[in-house]
Amino acid sequence: MPLRPASASDLLIDGKQVAGSGSTFDIVNPATEEIVGQAADATAEDMSAAIAAARNAFDTTDWSRDHALRARFLRQLRDALLAHADEFREITVAEVGCPVFLTHGPQLEGPITDLGYFADLAETYEWTRDLGEAKPMGLKNRRELRAEAAGVVGAITPWNFPHQINFAKIGPALAAGCTVVLKPAPDTPWCAALVGKVIAEETDFPPGVINIVTSSDHALGAQLATDPRVDIVSFTGSTATGKKVMAAASESLKKVFLELGGKSAFIVLDDADLASACSMAAFAVVTHAGQGCAITTRLLVPRSKLDEATAITRDSLAGLAAGDPTDSGTICGPVISAAQRQRVESYIELARSEGGTIEIGGGRPAGRDRGFFVEPTLISGLDNTSRVAQEEVFGPVLVIIPHDGDDDAIRIANDSPYGLSGQVWGTDEDRINKVVNGVRTGTMAINGGIWYSADVPFGGYKQSGIGREMGVAGFEEYLETKAVARPA
């Protein structure tokens, strides 16, 4: 089947593709500002129908108890999506504006392949665990623990890595035996809606098990948080919105998973290879135009090497100009929208007003009159109390900050409301481990190590979120534990 729709992408509700009761809204290519298509603009009534379908599928079928069936359908979905990889690649670059090289990894093929990991978990997980015999109150009993699916999942996802985040919720939730209603971001509806097309036309998923509802109305996400038929809300997005989701979900005491913002530190110790470290920091912050919650956006370098580190980082950024995301050599594409570009530019102006120096960048690339591009930007002359060092910019903007030794670097890294990710570069293992142990963050890379993988839990400390996504820990977010005892 041709994957690209002629006009609007349908909703997926109760196993069927439906147009929805609303109208449509435009999808804009962030690299060209062209309208590339339309998506179905669902209403509250459509969302209610999707929740009802998910509730019915969970309550009245064997979906939650048939582990082998779920594994088979997840593999079926993986294989069907991979068969359309090139079509999805074109659509993803056009809708997200991500550099095409990323679609061979975390923007597309990686997350699709990861569905197989969760299929394996459904088959191999220890669903029942024998606790043996005990004599509570002198009475001999045999006890066991049973893991059971938690129920209906409302998944609310952002636009920056839509496939990775959509499948990081859909995969483990379905593997655990839950049913799902997915509400993707209005900026990237096709990436989700066309998965729904594949599910409806090329897989055997039972009706209602997975529902996909696109809409320009953010209130539909809030609807998932408040509807009592939904048992879990799994949200990825800004910390400010995450707080609202948590508050709304508290009315019905839903389980809540939150993966939120970050202002992660790239720590360079005084025994590190400075050139390699600073070049990597520059590469990291421009990847996908800095639109990643775990991207390191604070570069902490020894004070005695500040000038040298600034020069290296500036020169590295000069070779990483923002460019056409369809070009295989592009690392930094556009940001997602005009509003996001304005936000990034407002932070750069704020840095200037706070006394910062724009070492490179700070504007829009010459010769690119169309597209939401921002120049890779390095800011110096500010300390960690500045707003651009404390707040998430979500653009290709790096702040370089001096530190006075390992303890001071740890202090600066932790002086943040966030705790999502980080890096440390050095050669002395004891010092590296001291930093890793001292920084309060969910993931840490050592000398460029890559932690991203289906089996590695991802999440943060402090205001970076609650819970973990991916890995066994992420799978278990969608489970409840039942204790069972009988006379022995």
Side-chain angles (χ1 to χ4, degrees):
M1 69 166 190
L3 194 60
R4 183 185 291 274
S7 57
S9 298
D10 291 332
L11 313 176
L12 178 64
I13 298 177
D14 205 17
K16 299 181 289 292
Q17 288 193 281
V18 297
S21 52
S23 57
T24 62
F25 63 100
D26 292 336
I27 300 169
V28 176
N29 183 326
T32 65
E33 302 183 45
E34 296 173 339
I35 296 173
V36 294
Q38 290 78 38
D41 202 1
T43 65
E45 290 74 20
D46 297 320
M47 178 59 79
S48 183
I51 295 170
R55 185 79 262 168
N56 183 67
F58 186 82
D59 291 341
T60 66
T61 75
D62 289 333
W63 173 258
S64 66
R65 293 174 289 277
D66 194 335
H67 311 317
L69 178 75
R70 300 198 303 274
R72 179 162 62 87
F73 286 164
L74 280 169
R75 294 187 184 108
Q76 186 184 54
L77 176 59
R78 174 200 61 194
D79 295 345
L81 291 170
L82 287 175
H84 292 286
D86 288 339
E87 295 165 275
F88 265 109
R89 194 182 327 281
E90 179 186 355
I91 290 164
T92 302
V93 173
E95 183 176 57
V96 183
C98 64
V100 68
F101 89 95
L102 283 175
T103 64
H104 297 279
Q107 278 286 13
L108 180 64
E109 291 183 15
I112 293 174
T113 303
D114 289 346
L115 292 172
Y117 169 82
F118 293 108
D120 293 344
L121 262 184
E123 291 180 325
T124 62
Y125 188 73
E126 188 179 21
W127 293 97
T128 301
R129 183 156 61 93
D130 187 1
L131 293 183
E133 293 184 358
K135 292 183 178 180
M137 295 176 286
L139 301 174
K140 185 184 292 186
N141 278 262
R142 176 165 292 279
R143 298 87 35 75
E144 65 182 26
L145 297 181
R146 297 181 184 179
E148 297 182 345
V152 175
V153 174
I156 308 168
T157 57
W159 43 260
N160 57 325
F161 282 82
H163 294 301
Q164 194 281 316
I165 299 169
N166 289 346
F167 292 133
K169 298 185 189 301
I170 291 172
L174 295 179
C178 295
T179 57
V180 178
V181 180
L182 172 65
K183 165 63 172 69
D187 300 275
T188 52
W190 260 3
C191 286
L194 295 178
V195 170
K197 181 178 175 68
V198 171
I199 290 171
E201 298 183 359
E202 300 187 34
T203 76
D204 300 314
F205 274 89
V209 162
I210 171 69
N211 306 270
I212 299 175
V213 181
T214 61
S215 178
S216 64
D217 188 355
H218 290 283
L220 269 64
Q223 185 176 347
L224 284 170
T226 57
D227 195 303
R229 295 171 293 178
V230 176
D231 299 295
I232 300 178
V233 175
S234 182
F235 171 83
T236 298
S238 72
T239 295
T241 304
K243 291 177 180 179
K244 294 177 182 177
V245 169
M246 190 173 186
S250 70
E251 290 298 318
S252 54
L253 289 180
K254 301 184 196 314
K255 291 182 69 174
V256 176
F257 166 81
L258 301 174
E259 195 275 286
L260 307 175
K263 194 69 184 178
S264 302
F266 192 116
I267 299 172
V268 182
L269 304 183
D270 60 17
D271 63 344
D273 180 334
L274 193 66
S276 296
C278 292
S279 297
M280 180 60 73
F283 181 90
V285 83
V286 303
T287 300
H288 190 25
Q291 298 173 116
C293 53
I295 288 176
T296 44
T297 54
R298 292 182 293 158
L299 176 57
L300 312 186
V301 300
R303 189 176 300 276
S304 63
K305 298 182 179 182
L306 176 61
D307 290 345
E308 183 184 0
T310 300
I312 294 169
T313 309
R314 182 176 58 237
D315 291 347
S316 296
L317 287 174
L320 295 167
D324 181 354
T326 65
D327 186 333
S328 62
T330 294
I331 307 300
C332 181
V335 297
I336 190 66
S337 65
Q340 183 62 22
R341 180 175 61 185
Q342 183 178 13
R343 171 185 166 85
V344 174
E345 290 174 337
S346 71
Y347 272 104
I348 294 171
E349 287 307 308
L350 177 63
R352 288 190 174 104
S353 70
E354 289 184 326
T357 298
I358 308 302
E359 298 285 348
I360 190 172
R364 300 180 184 182
R368 295 202 173 274
D369 298 328
R370 303 284 290 176
F372 308 122
F373 293 93
V374 178
E375 290 179 315
T377 301
L378 177 65
I379 300 170
S380 67
L382 296 176
D383 64 23
N384 197 57
T385 64
S386 64
R387 284 184 58 190
V388 290
Q390 286 290 311
E391 299 176 16
E392 189 174 43
V393 177
F394 232 60
V397 178
L398 182 63
V399 182
I400 189 166
I401 301 170
H403 68 76
D404 295 310
D406 300 1
D407 290 339
D408 192 45
I410 294 170
R411 179 192 64 78
I412 295 171
N414 286 335
D415 182 17
S416 168
Y418 302 111
L420 189 56
S421 193
Q423 288 215 34
V424 57
W425 282 62
T427 57
D428 186 293
E429 284 297 323
D430 290 338
R431 293 174 63 192
I432 288 172
N433 284 327
K434 179 180 179 180
V435 173
V436 171
N437 293 335
V439 177
R440 300 190 65 233
T441 189
T443 60
M444 280 289 284
I446 298 172
N447 292 331
I450 299 173
W451 43 260
Y452 170 74
S453 180
D455 62 339
V456 176
F458 175 66
Y461 292 22
K462 300 185 284 185
Q463 293 189 39
S464 286
I466 296 173
R468 292 294 181 269
E469 200 152 62
M470 307 291 282
V472 174
F475 172 77
E476 290 178 336
E477 295 283 352
Y478 300 99
L479 298 176
E480 295 280 14
T481 300
K482 179 179 288 182
V484 178
R486 66 188 70 190

